[in-house]
Amino acid sequence: MAKSSLHIGKHIALLIILFSGLIIPCRGEAQTRELLLKAGYIEKFTHFVDWSKNPFSKDSLFKVAVIGDKKFSLALEQIFSNIKVNEKSVKVTYITSVDQIKDNMILVISKSIGSDKLDEILDYTTGKTILTISEKDGYGVRGSIINLVVVDEFIRYEINRVTLGKSGLKMNSLLIKSGTLVGTK
């Protein structure tokens, strides 16, 4: 019991540190730094989501796909290189089409994805146990479960409770309360 409390305490401390406001510089290296910071957020999100209803949760690898910006997949590979999720090694894959989403637990939708493509992606993922994470203003309201946004040079995140509810994923209340709820109508 004490070990469990310590484990939860570590996660809460990590959340506080992570979400206390990571400043993004406004220079040439900002894009790479921003992607690494967002990748760090995504890694932390994995500690607060339950994928047990995902038919691929029994696979030997925890699969993350990135559609849009290949640089985002490289940032995620760097973050997840020595990290396990649910005691599984993480495989990050860059994909270019919706039919490649298949057996992934997380789908990262980069800001280079346009509105029409987003609709196609969300048509495929909504109602499935795939955590969709986008990074473009308005994409949380449109149906991405988590949307990473930059507000006053800080990374923040939105959570679409409606899409989350349809997904069958369970999200820890600490993560929900730390984000901004969108698409609740």
Side-chain angles (χ1 to χ4, degrees), residues 57-145:
S57 64
K58 307 263 187 280
D59 286 358
S60 60
L61 293 172
F62 186 93
K63 296 178 183 175
V64 177
V66 177
I67 191 164
D69 186 354
K70 188 167 185 144
K71 290 178 188 170
F72 210 143
S73 66
L74 298 174
L76 284 165
E77 285 176 4
Q78 186 175 345
I79 294 294
F80 281 110
S81 63
N82 295 315
I83 304 270
K84 291 192 177 222
V85 176
N86 297 332
E87 300 178 22
K88 299 176 187 181
S89 295
V90 178
K91 180 181 181 190
V92 178
T93 307
Y94 174 72
I95 63 173
T96 56
S97 67
V98 172
D99 63 326
Q100 294 173 300
I101 296 170
K102 299 181 246 169
D103 58 350
N104 289 283
M105 307 296 251
I106 297 176
L107 174 65
V108 178
I109 306 162
S110 78
K111 58 185 160 191
S112 66
I113 294 296
S115 226
D116 292 342
K117 186 75 165 181
L118 177 70
D119 291 340
E120 181 185 355
I121 292 166
L122 294 177
D123 284 346
Y124 179 84
T125 58
T126 300
K128 292 184 173 75
T129 50
I130 299 170
L131 179 63
T132 52
I133 302 174
S134 56
E135 60 161 345
K136 190 169 185 176
D137 286 337
Y139 280 16
V141 172
R142 298 217 17 226
S144 181
I145 296 173

Side-chain angles (χ1 to χ4, degrees), residues 148-160:
L148 296 165
V149 292
V150 177
V151 179
D152 297 328
E153 298 186 15
F154 291 89
I155 296 175
R156 303 289 185 231
Y157 65 95
E158 304 167 332
I159 297 175
N160 187 314

Side-chain angles (χ1 to χ4, degrees), residues 11-88:
H11 285 260
I12 291 171
L14 284 171
L15 255 183
I16 290 168
I17 291 167
L18 185 61
F19 300 139
S20 63
L22 298 169
I23 299 174
I24 301 169
C26 296
R27 301 223 168 102
E29 71 211 27
Q31 184 177 18
T32 302
R33 180 175 163 94
E34 180 180 332
L35 291 175
L36 283 170
L37 290 172
K38 288 178 178 179
Y41 269 68
I42 293 169
E43 188 278 324
K44 296 304 173 211
F45 293 155
T46 65
H47 300 281
F48 297 91
V49 177
D50 176 14
W51 281 271
S52 60
K53 290 186 178 180
N54 185 302
F56 301 104
S57 64
K58 307 263 187 280
D59 286 358
S60 60
L61 293 172
F62 186 93
K63 296 178 183 175
V64 177
V66 177
I67 191 164
D69 186 354
K70 188 167 185 144
K71 290 178 188 170
F72 210 143
S73 66
L74 298 174
L76 284 165
E77 285 176 4
Q78 186 175 345
I79 294 294
F80 281 110
S81 63
N82 295 315
I83 304 270
K84 291 192 177 222
V85 176
N86 297 332
E87 300 178 22
K88 299 176 187 181

